[in-house]
Amino acid sequence: MASIDYEPKLLVILSISIFLSCIFVSSTGLVAALDDSALLASEGNALLESGWWSQYSNVTSHRCKYWPGIFCDLAGRITEISPPPEFLKVGNKFGKMNFSCFSNLVRLHLANHELSGSIPPQISILPQLGYLNLSSNNLTGELPSSLGNLSRLVELDFSSNYFTNSIPPELGNLKNLVTLSLSHNSFSSPIPSALCHLDNLTHLFIDHNSLEGALPREIGNMRNLESLDVSYNTLNGPIPRTLGSLAKLRSLIFRMNKINGFIPLEIGNLTNLEDLDLCSNILVGSIPSTMGLLPNLISLVLCLEISLLELRTLGMHANGGDITVPR
């Protein structure tokens, strides 16, 4: 008889539990919908207040379809901002954009937009940002160390601007980075060894700056590196022997520095190397015999006083300042 009394109560308790769980699920969906609505509104306000698209429309509901350079996901959240410079020049309005409103932004591409001033700090807190290109503008000042917080970043291009002082070592925190271009700026001080912690980096361009000091020995840790250009700086010291560990390297450009000493024998380990430019440095000694073992070498530029006999021994010939390998 006891079981007959308690079974209905148990069913009632189970029913109440299921009912409450349904309410909880519905409430969660409602909160998510409200969050999305608030997010879309904040994105729209940020776009309007920036004034970038003032010549096109003030109707933010049209942004995903009709505003040039705005791309959205299926929910209408902005994932890319890349207005074509031929249709829209951002100019001095760069700092008017509140980038912190774009929590789903994956790509920000503003090359050749006549940007001026410094990098807005809000860019450093974009959680989904994977591609950041601010190249060929008039940006000045220092790179903020907070850029090291952009953990999803795959490509970073700040080339052809007027950035000064040192390259922040915090960029070494960007473990997913594949391409880093800081060329044609006014960076000084040594290359931070922290950059050598970028295990996934394939392309590193820091040429045409005022970098000084020796190349970090840790450079041999960048095992996926395919292109390295540090030309037109004031780097000194020897070529690190650890460079021979970069088995995937295809292009190595050291032109116009103050790098001194001998060319290390380990350079013969770079069997994928196609282009090697060591011109206008303070290198001494002979071409290492191991350089004749590079099967893919197409162009070698040394600008050294080298005898024709030495070149023939390595199977190379001179053409002005270039030394090429017959295929």
Side-chain angles (χ1 to χ4, degrees), residues 27-40:
S27 298
T28 303
L30 180 60
V31 169
L34 289 174
D35 285 347
D36 271 351
S37 177
L39 173 67
L40 297 180

Side-chain angles (χ1 to χ4, degrees), residues 49-69:
E49 291 170 2
S50 73
W52 293 13
W53 288 269
S54 57
Q55 295 181 349
Y56 287 89
S57 173
N58 284 325
V59 183
T60 57
S61 60
H62 294 170
R63 62 184 181 269
C64 297
K65 273 193 172 183
Y66 303 115
W67 290 22

Side-chain angles (χ1 to χ4, degrees), residues 112-135:
N112 286 295
H113 270 281
E114 300 178 2
L115 307 181
S116 58
S118 56
I119 296 178
Q122 300 96 337
I123 287 180
S124 298
I125 60 174
L126 295 173
Q128 304 299 326
L129 197 63
Y131 301 86
L132 177 57
N133 189 330
L134 304 179
S135 63

